[in-house]
Each structure stands twice: as C-alpha cells, then as structure tokens.
Amino acid sequence: MSDLSHSKALYTVDQVRRIDQAAIHDAGLAGTKLMQRAAKAALKCLRRRWPHVHSLVVVAGNGNNGGDAFLLARFARHAQMEVTVVALGESSTGDAAAARAAWSKTGGEIEVAGPATRLVQADVLVDGLFGTGITRAPAGIAAHLIGQMNAFQGKRLALDVPSGLDADKGNAPGPVLRADATISFVGWKRGLFTADGVDCCGDLDLDALGITDDIIGSIGMDAELLDASVLHLLPPRNRNVNKGLFGHVLAIGGDIGTAGAVRLTAEAALRVGAGLVSVATRLEHVGMVVGSRPELMAMAADGPQSIEKPVARASVLALGPGLGRAAWGHALWDAALRSGKPVVLDADGLNLLAGQPLDLPANSIITPHPGEAARLLGCDSAKVQSDRFAAARELAARYRCVVVLKGAGSLVADAAGRLALCPFGNPGMASAGMGDVLTGVIAGLLAQGLDAWDAACLGTVAHAIAGDRAAADQPRGMIASDLFGPLRAFVNGNRT
C-alpha cells in the first residue's frame, strides 16, 4: 500500500459527490475541467508506476468514469503511446460525451464491446468502466469486459474505483476488477479499505484534483483512516514510576481444552505495558500458565465467589477467550459484567452476550469477528459483511460501547456514530489465537489509562502492524505468539 498519511478522511460516495458539486457551483470549476484533471492525474500516476509503458488498452464506460478514460486515452496518445479504446456502449452521457467526441475528433478509434470482444495485449490496461455509482452485480457485456480485464496479462490501473466494487460498502456483489493500482479522485472512498476492497484495489493513490482544502473540509468525513501516528496516544514513561501506575488486567477464561486462549490474552496485555496481569482460569491450567510465563499471576476460578477479590483488585477485565458457554463460563461471565469494571469482551464472552443481553460497564469494548457480530445483531455473517460500516455502528449503538469489528479493514465504532478504519494487517493473521492477542492488547492499553476509543484505535493498529512485521513476506504459517516481539517494539516507539 502507498503512503496514505497525506489524507486520513474517508468519505461515502454521496459525500464525494457533494464535494464535486461544491467545487463546480461554489468555486466555479467546470465538470469538464475536473474530468481533465482526473485524466492527467491518472496518466501521471500510470507513468510514475510503470515508467517504461508504451502501449495502453483503455476500457471506457458510458458515464463520467468513462469520460476520464477517454481523456486519458487522448493525453496518452499525445505523449506518443499506442492506445486502444474499447467502449461499453455506442454513446456516453453528460460531460463524458464531450470527452468521447474529443477522442473521436482527433482520429481516435473506438471499439464498441460485444459478447465476442477480446482485449488486445498491451503494457497497461486502464479501467474506466464503472465509477462510484455501481451497487449491483455487473451483468451482460459489462461482466464480460471485467472478465477480459482480469485475464489481461499486463498491469491494470483502475480509475477511482475498480469496476464492480461498491465504493461505499467495500463488497463486490459480482464480477470485479483485480487492479494492480487504483487512483482515487477528490477523496478516499471508504469501501476501498475494507472487505473485498482490500483485495481489488492494489496500491492506492489519491489526487484531490486541485479542489481546495476549505471546499473538501466543508463536507464532513464519514470515517477516519488510522495510521501509526495513533502511537502518540500512549505517552512516554517517566523513570520514577512503579508497576501500580500502569494498571492491572484480569484475564478470565480458559475452560478445559482452551487454556491457550486466555494465556495469549494475558501475555499480550503484559507486552503492551500493563503493570500487572492476573489470570483466572481452571485449576488444571494454573500450572501451565505460571510455568510458561511466570510474570503472570494465575489463580483457580471455581465459581463467581472465587473471582470477587481478583475482580475488585483489577482495573480492567479481559473476558471471553477460552471461556466456553457452559455453566462454569457463564457464571464467571455474569459476575464479571455485573462488577462494573471496564471490560474487553471477546469470543465466548460475546456469544454469551448474544444469548443474554446485559448492560456493559462504562468504558467497555467488544471485539467481534463477523460471525460473532452477526449473532449479536440477530442476522447472518453475510449481512454483516455486506455493509461492515453499518454493522459496526449498529453494534456500538445497540450495546452502548466501543466496537472493534475485526476482518480485512478492521473498524472501530462508538455509540455516537464515530468510525475509524485500520488499513493494516495481512491474511497470515487469519489463524488461531490472533483475536485473543488483540483482546489482551486493548485491555493492556485500557489499563494504562487510555479511554475505550483510544485504546481500541491504538490497540487495533498496534496488533495489525505487529502482524505485518511478524509476517514480513511469509504470512502463511504465522502464529499468534509471533506478534509479541513486534508489539513490544511498536509500543516503544519503533514505527518501522
């Protein structure tokens, strides 16, 4: 992924359209001028990424995205490139019609696509088929063209959004272009960074097309794109300190057969700097926990009464990893939630909450994956994944807490509707124990005095960046405990 630090605002499609309209009506920028700027920005991006490009295939739709493509084709031919243009239809609409006419007027040929269309080979393919407006599965000739573009042997550049991707929700309801790079115009569309978007966009570039910051700023963003700068939320430590100043996490869980889950959670809390970490687990697991990590204070939990004093001593509870849903786990879960202590709730803690909704203590955080989120919302995981932004906000509002909706492009939401997105992480993190580590990371940060929102944002970023560093170029086979070293490095200010 490219450096995204120059803009952290994520927009809905409607918000970007409103920025466009403000630029046209308030700043006097003609739509055709913005289209020319988009085409020039795309050509500049293309030549920077692939400096030896000599030939292009440009696929143009009927709307403004196609207009950008027609203009890019004209500018590329002027730059002495060989350009082949394939159009979806016989005509274009709006400002795109003028761009198409300009291409034809200067001698440019247009092949109108049909069922037998096959794209010629070239150095780079430019996708200007659909822009941000598509919300349904492409069909007919459009679907055929997307298939042809994906079969193309050269590099693929998408204009604004890969064709077939819902720019608002990040899902692809049907055929979708797999781009090597995408240049987004005006502002980041939020769907580029989550769900199917992370697999379709390739490297990302942004060009505001010369629209001024005051115009862009006049339209509120929908979400914030998180980056490593969230580390500033964790202040440097003075030397004259003691462990009692950095909080006490109590990790509760680890039923028979699942002791590893709570053990991972507990060490993760230590690795991000919690002063003290205790573990309440089955008697059979106490020896394993202490023997493998003597810095943890493990104790047997045989019922709600046995955890009353440990809960009272703790500043934050990490509840759910390995807890199970049988009588033992349910009794501990109920006692922990009724204690009033801030809690980071995950795994079976969430499954129990879905079956028995309880008010969560103030400053609490839940960390569901899509399946757990679906149970909490009374739907299926496909529904959650079809609009992760809406699901995260609904969870936060319903349970009146901060939510981390895990997955590709993890989302952080609060009950007021605030939303942030973490663009880091890799497929190697789809392995056992990764969620348990995240629970401990967030609990450890919460124990050090961060509020729920800050702990969730920083914890999600720290966990994902640690995963990226641990994976390097070998994500397959990475295990959850591989994150502990990179986690420690990151929270101590090592951002590289």
Side-chain angles (χ1 to χ4, degrees):
M1 180 176 291
S2 303
D3 178 16
L4 307 177
S5 60
H6 54 291
S7 175
K8 297 196 291 184
L10 298 179
Y11 297 96
T12 64
V13 170
D14 179 67
Q15 287 168 333
V16 173
R17 286 174 179 159
R18 287 161 56 198
I19 294 172
D20 281 344
Q21 292 303 309
I24 292 169
H25 293 132
D26 299 342
L29 279 174
T32 53
K33 184 68 173 178
L34 289 175
M35 192 171 284
Q36 288 176 0
R37 290 181 180 181
K40 290 178 179 179
L43 182 60
K44 182 179 178 180
C45 168
L46 185 155
R47 299 183 79 174
R48 184 182 70 253
R49 289 190 172 277
W50 305 296
H52 302 296
V53 59
H54 176 67
S55 56
L56 299 180
V57 173
V58 177
V59 179
N62 300 329
N64 283 348
N65 199 241
D68 298 339
F70 279 117
L71 286 176
L72 183 149
R74 186 157 65 94
F75 297 149
R77 191 175 62 177
H78 184 73
Q80 307 304 311
M81 296 183 193
E82 296 178 5
V83 183
T84 301
V85 174
V86 178
L88 177 61
E90 296 281 355
S91 62
S92 301
T93 60
D95 291 334
R100 182 176 187 142
W103 167 254
S104 297
K105 185 177 181 180
T106 55
E109 295 183 356
I110 301 173
E111 177 189 350
V112 177
T117 295
R118 298 292 182 268
L119 300 179
V120 300
Q121 288 306 304
D123 297 327
V124 176
L125 179 143
V126 177
D127 166 30
L129 187 59
F130 294 119
T132 58
I134 190 167
T135 58
R136 64 187 186 282
I141 301 302
H144 171 71
L145 279 175
I146 291 173
Q148 284 291 300
M149 288 192 288
N150 282 330
F152 181 80
Q153 296 300 303
K155 299 298 184 180
R156 296 183 284 267
L157 174 68
L159 303 184
D160 216 14
V161 179
S163 289
L165 181 71
D166 186 320
D168 255 348
K169 299 176 182 178
N171 63 65
V176 62
L177 177 76
R178 298 291 181 124
D180 294 291
T182 298
I183 179 167
S184 185
F185 302 129
V186 181
W188 291 123
K189 288 75 184 174
R190 63 183 197 175
L192 302 178
F193 296 92
T194 196
D196 295 317
V198 301
D199 288 319
C200 297
C201 294
D203 292 329
L204 287 163
D205 281 295
L206 174 66
D207 196 294
L209 306 185
I211 299 175
T212 59
D213 289 345
D214 61 324
I215 291 176
I216 293 175
S218 68
I219 307 298
M221 66 181 181
D222 182 72
E224 176 188 2
L225 190 66
L226 297 172
D227 62 23
S229 68
V230 294
L231 190 56
H232 82 274
L233 297 169
L234 197 60
R237 291 188 174 183
N238 295 325
R239 296 178 65 184
N240 183 24
V241 294
N242 62 76
K243 62 182 178 287
L245 296 175
F246 304 117
H248 186 168
V249 174
L250 174 61
I252 304 172
D255 201 353
I256 300 299
T258 56
V262 75
R263 161 69 175 77
L264 287 167
T265 295
E267 180 164 349
L270 280 177
R271 293 296 184 179
V272 296
L276 296 160
V277 180
S278 298
V279 179
T281 188
R282 287 282 195 177
L283 173 63
E284 294 88 338
H285 300 148
V286 170
M288 180 278 289
V289 172
V290 176
S292 63
R293 179 54 63 210
E295 297 86 351
L296 298 172
M297 299 177 289
M299 65 201 74
D302 56 12
Q305 296 78 15
S306 65
I307 65 168
E308 286 180 359
K309 290 182 179 179
V311 167
R313 290 192 294 266
S315 47
V316 173
L317 308 180
L319 179 63
L323 187 67
R325 284 179 267 182
W328 179 82
H330 181 272
L332 297 181
W333 173 85
D334 187 79
L337 289 188
R338 295 184 190 279
S339 72
K341 290 292 178 77
V343 61
V344 182
L345 195 64
D346 187 33
D348 279 325
L350 298 172
N351 293 324
L352 288 166
L353 183 65
Q356 182 186 337
L358 290 178
D359 289 338
L360 298 178
N363 220 30
S364 289
I365 301 160
I366 64 175
T367 61
H369 59 55
E372 292 159 346
R375 287 187 281 276
L376 289 166
L377 293 173
C379 62
D380 58 30
S381 58
K383 176 70 172 176
V384 170
Q385 289 294 85
S386 71
D387 191 343
R388 288 170 51 80
F389 300 95
R393 284 188 164 118
E394 185 177 350
L395 282 165
R398 182 176 299 190
Y399 291 95
R400 296 189 294 279
C401 65
V402 170
V403 173
V404 178
L405 178 58
K406 296 181 289 195
S410 291
L411 298 171
V412 183
D414 70 8
R418 184 166 42 165
L419 195 67
L421 187 150
C422 175
F424 309 107
N426 63 84
M429 300 177 76
S431 66
M434 288 291 175
D436 304 320
V437 171
L438 177 62
T439 300
V441 168
I442 294 174
L445 295 171
L446 197 61
Q448 292 174 75
L450 276 67
D451 64 22
W453 175 261
D454 288 346
C457 289
L458 175 54
T460 302
V461 168
H463 179 260
I465 288 179
D468 288 343
R469 293 179 182 178
D473 60 350
Q474 300 180 56
R476 196 186 304 271
M478 181 171 62
I479 60 175
S481 57
D482 290 340
L483 272 61
F484 289 148
L487 272 171
R488 183 183 175 195
F490 181 77
V491 297
N492 279 285
N494 183 347
R495 300 186 186 184
T496 60

